[in-house]
C-alpha cells in the first residue's frame, strides 16, 4: 500500500460518497462504474485533485489594505470560476498577509 511507498493502496479506487447511514457507514459509488459499496469512515480517504497557490507582489511599503483587497477579490473570483467553493463544500475562507490587514 501507500505506507510501503506504492503510489496507491491495492484495490483502491476513486469514488463519491452518495449516502451516510446512522451507524457510521458510508456508501460510495465508483468513478469508473464500480457498484455501490459501504465502508467505515476510517477506510475512506479524501483525495484532492488540484491544489492552487496564489502569490502577489506589490511595492507597497505600508501593506496597503486596498492592494490586499484587490488580491483577495482576484483569488475569490478564480475560486468561483473554477467551482472550487461548491465542489469542495468550502464554508469558510481565511486569509493572512504578513503585517497587513486580514479579510475573512
Amino acid at each position: 500500500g501507500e505506507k510501503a511507498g506504492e503510489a496507491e493502496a491495492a484495490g483502491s479506487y476513486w469514488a463519491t460518497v452518495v449516502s451516510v447511514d446512522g451507524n457510521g457507514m458510508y456508501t460510495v459509488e465508483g468513478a469508473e462504474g464500480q457498484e455501490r459499496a459501504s465502508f467505515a469512515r476510517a477506510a475512506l480517504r479524501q483525495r484532492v485533485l488540484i491544489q492552487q497557490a496564489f502569490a502577489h507582489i506589490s511595492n507597497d511599503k505600508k501593506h496597503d489594505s486596498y492592494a490586499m483587497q484587490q488580491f483577495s477579490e482576484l483569488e475569490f473570483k478564480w475560486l468561483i470560476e473554477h467551482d472550487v467553493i461548491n465542489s469542495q463544500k468550502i464554508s469558510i475562507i481565511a486569509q493572512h498577509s504578513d503585517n497587513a490587514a486580514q479579510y475573512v
Side-chain angles (χ1 to χ4, degrees), residues 42-60:
L44 301 177
R45 297 180 184 200
Q46 180 181 3
R47 303 284 187 197
V48 177
L49 296 175
I50 297 174
Q51 293 183 1
Q52 182 69 33
F54 298 97
H56 303 284
I57 299 171
S58 171
N59 66 353
D60 181 7

Side-chain angles (χ1 to χ4, degrees), residues 4-55:
E6 297 173 12
E8 295 181 353
S12 65
Y13 59 91
W14 291 95
T16 301
V17 174
V18 292
S19 66
V20 181
D21 71 18
N23 297 320
M25 295 296 287
Y26 290 68
T27 302
V28 301
E29 187 172 276
E32 295 179 3
Q34 295 93 335
E35 291 186 26
R36 289 187 177 190
S38 293
F39 298 95
R41 173 63 186 99
L44 301 177
R45 297 180 184 200
Q46 180 181 3
R47 303 284 187 197
V48 177
L49 296 175
I50 297 174
Q51 293 183 1
Q52 182 69 33
F54 298 97

